[in-house]
């Protein structure tokens, strides 16, 4: 039996700067066999170690349909994330996972999909977006709404362009505060709701972002008659083990690292502690 | 008579007290022996035994719980070596055979609580390996400790199962009940030292149990009504709020509790030259990945990198502790209460937010500032 808390060594293949403090890392397990056998769902996460600095959870930002490497997008904010940002191609880190439940892609088959992301909330959805785009015919219309504080805080700028050029995919972007050269929307994410046609009765909505943004967006969606079972979000708590043992991530008797981090709003409503 | 127990097939044995030392000697030949011994100040502590005469056979249950022998306070999980920019991660396993002697039954139940949670859902092989290499010999409590309330939570004073061997002090001899193959082995190690128990000795064992049940101190803990209220959100926020100032956030209750196991994972830097003296291929840098006890009563326990903290208020943290230990939701998940009634938190807590006080407050709907 494999040890629960022991990471395997992985190599950083490439990095890409997304914003001044956010970077995407492409990773591959050093052992080919291990890399090939690593299977995951979008919405799951990994525990990533910078040896000596420690371990932290990051969601898998790539799609299982593109298995050559695994991607995580990391904002620099503390010990582990700073140490990770100091590493580059060829450097080694530790990986453990996948952890958590992930999105139920099968259940969304045949539905229209609405993605609503705020700031660093796009990475967990990006894996799912590529996943559905890679099996395009199985899903209905796709709408992607994305907001960040300023134009400089938008991640995956190239991919936003690629997605918006695709058939049957609608992409809208907004920023809280504009900047010189910015000609797009200004305002919080919900302003985008009035720019697209929403079809609550045939849509599954995925909402990811900072807690306040999730709160407002979900309220808005429910008011617009989206069913709570079909408003899906990810929750965050401080995590250590990622495998349901350490108790850091509990909400009541639910373990976000095992029962989550993906929940429908119908489930979130029932959670208390 | 309630004579039929699971120990029956193996019969019951007695160890005359003058043979106890010789038995420990035999156990020491095949395993590390852990038992209550006298600490530096004369206080009782659990420790590794070097010679049989260290073992205490009549003692107050140590304040420091024995859980560190199954879940070390700082547990090395893996050795991480860096050489020429490449890493090697070597898991550290501990499956040394150990005999735990004179464990109190509340603590034995605590051990099983820890084993169940480590075996549930995603099993933790590193914990299970260490645990399953242990032989558990309990010493039933013929004289319950004054602050114990194991009787309220199936924690003791005598048990029907769960032990490998359960000893009862009958005066001149220890009666031994075998609960498992491991227990049988420990008994066999003492071949020639044990003899079959007489009918009278078996009757005496039952009398002592009845006597123990009658001699509990005043400490009681009515879990039933507290569980009902906690599980149905019928404990007022004001009640938790009132307890807040009484909790000093020291985490002592978690450290002392035989069922608490919250932890964090950290890398400890090791001096690279230690055990790597020179030569080719020696590591430039070495760390040990450790699992370290943590406490849900610390503010930083749930502090997120964003600065947001869902349990910033003390009220929320106290509530969390008792939800985990007493709610029906967790009872279903863990198949047991998260309290074995050892009474340690009563002794440890300087602010009196211990288990019986809080359970009483929930039942009465009123916090009176605990015991003074
Ligand atoms: C399921 C899940 C998925 C996640 N996915 C992602 C993801 O995809 N991308 C992502 O970027 N994040 C993600 N996170 C958040 C990420 O795990 C945290 O950002 C990360 O754990 C921070 O670790 P750290 O060691 O860098 O921060 P820590 O060192 O633990 O820092 C914690 C806090 O302390 C502060 N701090 C740290 N050092 C100092 C200092 N020297 N002085 C003052 N203050 C300091 C920080 O500002 C921060 O507020 C996810 C979290 C979860 C639970
Ligand atoms: S809650 Fe208190 S009495 Fe109960 S097992 Fe823990 S330390 Fe002992
Ligand atoms: S992160 Fe350890 S229990 Fe969820």
């Amino acid at each position: 039996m494999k040890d629960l808390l022991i990471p395997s060594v992985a190599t950083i293949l490439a990095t890409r700067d997304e914003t001044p403090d956010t970077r995407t890392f492409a990773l591959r397990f050093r052992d080919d066999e291990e890399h090939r056998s690593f299977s995951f769902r979008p919405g799951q996460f990994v525990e990533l170690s910078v040896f000596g600095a420690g371990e932290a959870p990051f969601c898998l930002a790539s799609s299982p349909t593109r298995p050559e490497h695994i991607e995580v997008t990391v904002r620099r904010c503390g010990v582990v994330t700073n140490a990770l940002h100091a590493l580059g191609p060829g450097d080694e880190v530790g990986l453990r996972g996948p952890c958590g439940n992930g999105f139920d892609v099968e259940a969304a088959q045949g539905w229209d999909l609405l993605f609503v992301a705020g700031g660093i909330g796009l990475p967990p959805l990006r894996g799912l977006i590529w996943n559905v785009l890679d099996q395009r015919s199985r899903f209905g219309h796709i709408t992607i709404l994305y907001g960040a504080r300023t134009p400089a805080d938008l991640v995956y700028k190239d991919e936003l362009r690629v997605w918006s050029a695709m058939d049957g995919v609608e992409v809208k972007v907004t920023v809280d505060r504009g900047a010189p050269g910015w000609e797009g929307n200004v305002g919080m994410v919900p302003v985008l709701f009035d720019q697209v046609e929403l079809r609550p009765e045939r849509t599954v909505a995925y909402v990811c972002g900072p807690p306040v943004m999730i709160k407002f967006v979900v309220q808005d969606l429910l008011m617009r008659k989206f069913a709570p079972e079909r408003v899906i979000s990810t929750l965050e708590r401080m995590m250590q083990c990622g495998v349901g043992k350490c108790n850091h991530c509990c909400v009541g008797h639910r373990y976000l690292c095992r029962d989550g981090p993906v929940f429908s709003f119908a489930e979130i409503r029932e959670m208390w502690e | 008579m309630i004579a039929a127990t699971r120990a029956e097939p193996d019969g019951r044995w007695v160890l005359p007290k003058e043979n106890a030392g010789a038995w420990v000697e035999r156990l020491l030949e095949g395993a590390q022996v852990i038992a209550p011994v006298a600490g530096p100040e004369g206080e009782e502590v659990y420790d590794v035994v070097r010679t049989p005469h260290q073992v205490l056979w009549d003692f107050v249950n140590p304040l420091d719980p024995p859980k560190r022998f199954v879940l070390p306070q700082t547990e090395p999980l893996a050795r991480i070596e860096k050489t020429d920019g490449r890493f090697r991660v070597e898991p550290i396993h501990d499956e040394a055979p150990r005999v735990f002697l004179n464990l109190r039954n509340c603590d034995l139940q605590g051990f099983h609580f820890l084993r169940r949670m480590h075996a549930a859902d995603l099993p933790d092989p590193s914990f299970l390996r260490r645990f399953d290499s242990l032989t558990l010999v309990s010493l039933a409590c013929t004289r319950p400790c004054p602050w114990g309330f194991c009787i309220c939570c199936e924690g003791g004073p005598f048990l029907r199962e769960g032990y490998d061997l359960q000893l009862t002090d009958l005066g001149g001899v220890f009666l031994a009940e075998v609960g498992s193959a491991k227990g049988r082995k420990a008994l066999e190690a003492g071949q020639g030292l044990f003899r079959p128990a007489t009918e009278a000795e078996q009757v005496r064992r039952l009398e002592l149990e009845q006597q123990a049940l009658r001699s509990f101190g005043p400490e009681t803990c009515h879990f039933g009504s507290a569980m009902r209220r906690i599980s149905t959100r019928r404990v007022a926020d004001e009640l938790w709020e009132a307890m807040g100032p009484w909790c000093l956030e020291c985490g002592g209750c978690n450290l002392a509790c035989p069922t608490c196991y919250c932890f964090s994972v950290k890398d400890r830097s090791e001096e690279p030259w230690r055990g790597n003296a020179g030569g080719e291929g020696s590591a430039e840098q070495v760390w040990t990945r450790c699992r370290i006890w943590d406490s849900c009563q610390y503010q930083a326990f749930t502090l997120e990198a964003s600065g947001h903290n869902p349990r910033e208020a003390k009220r929320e943290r106290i509530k969390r502790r008792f939800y985990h230990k007493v709610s029906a939701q967790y009872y279903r998940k863990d198949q047991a209460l998260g309290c074995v009634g050892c009474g340690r938190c009563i002794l440890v807590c300087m602010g009196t937010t211990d288990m019986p006080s809080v359970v009483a407050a929930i039942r009465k709907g009123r916090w009176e500032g605990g015991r003074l």
Side-chain angles (χ1 to χ4, degrees), chain A residues 49 52 92 245 248 252 255 258, chain B residues 87 120-121 289 301 320 330:
Chain A
S49 295
E92 291 183 340
K245 300 296 185 202
H248 280 270
Y255 286 67
R258 286 293 292 154
Chain B
F87 288 93
D121 189 25
R289 173 142 303 178
F301 191 75
R320 168 68 201 168
Y330 264 105

Side-chain angles (χ1 to χ4, degrees), chain B residues 123-144:
Chain B
D124 180 344
S126 131
F127 176 92
L128 295 176
R129 258 192 303 263
R130 181 185 302 101
F131 192 97
D132 293 341
S133 312
L134 261 180
T135 301
L136 303 171
V137 181
S138 76
L139 179 59
C141 298
T142 43
R143 279 178 295 125

Side-chain angles (χ1 to χ4, degrees), chain B residues 207-229:
Chain B
E207 283 169 2
L208 285 173
E209 178 171 1
Q210 293 306 315
Q211 199 175 309
L213 288 172
R214 283 193 303 271
S215 55
F216 266 83
E219 205 63 70
T220 53
C221 203
H222 300 274
F223 286 105
S225 56
M227 180 183 286
R228 212 159 45 239
R229 282 165 193 258

Side-chain angles (χ1 to χ4, degrees), chain A residues 4-22:
Chain A
L4 254 194
L5 298 170
I6 309 296
S8 301
V9 178
T11 310
I12 299 176
L13 301 179
T15 68
R16 188 179 64 231
D17 284 339
E18 304 289 349
T19 75
D21 64 0
T22 305

Side-chain angles (χ1 to χ4, degrees), chain A residues 45 47 57 237-250 255-258, chain B residues 263:
Chain A
F45 64 95
E47 286 283 349
R237 277 281 170 123
M238 197 301 191
M239 287 189 188
Q240 284 281 326
C241 72
V243 288
K245 300 296 185 202
C246 76
N247 285 313
H248 280 270
C249 71
C250 306
Y255 286 67
L256 295 199
C257 69
R258 286 293 292 154
Chain B
F263 64 88

Side-chain angles (χ1 to χ4, degrees), chain B residues 100-166:
Chain B
F100 216 118
L101 204 56
N102 296 353
L103 195 61
R104 290 305 190 182
N105 281 327
C106 53
D107 287 334
L108 183 79
Q109 295 294 61
F111 273 26
H112 285 300
F113 183 94
L114 296 178
R115 191 186 188 285
R116 262 198 313 276
M117 82 55 43
H118 280 95
D121 189 25
L122 299 174
D124 180 344
S126 131
F127 176 92
L128 295 176
R129 258 192 303 263
R130 181 185 302 101
F131 192 97
D132 293 341
S133 312
L134 261 180
T135 301
L136 303 171
V137 181
S138 76
L139 179 59
C141 298
T142 43
R143 279 178 295 125
C145 49
W147 48 82
F149 53 94
C150 53
I151 193 170
C152 307
C153 36
E154 296 169 7
F158 284 62
L159 292 182
R160 295 271 170 272
E161 57 183 328
Y163 48 80
D164 294 318
L165 211 55
Q166 176 171 251

Side-chain angles (χ1 to χ4, degrees), chain A residues 115-119 144-151 153-154 172-178 182 184-196 207-220 224:
Chain A
F115 297 96
V116 189
I144 301 169
L145 308 181
Y146 179 42
R149 270 173 310 163
T150 71
D153 293 312
L154 293 167
K172 299 270 179 213
V173 177
T174 181
V175 295
D176 299 351
R177 271 178 289 115
W182 176 256
N185 296 294
V186 176
M188 313 276 237
V189 190
V191 302
L192 299 174
F193 286 156
D194 296 324
Q195 299 186 16
V196 293
V207 185
C208 273
V212 271
M213 171 261 172
I214 292 185
K215 194 171 150 214
F216 286 118
V217 168
V218 168
Q219 261 174 14
D220 212 319
R224 291 168 195 263

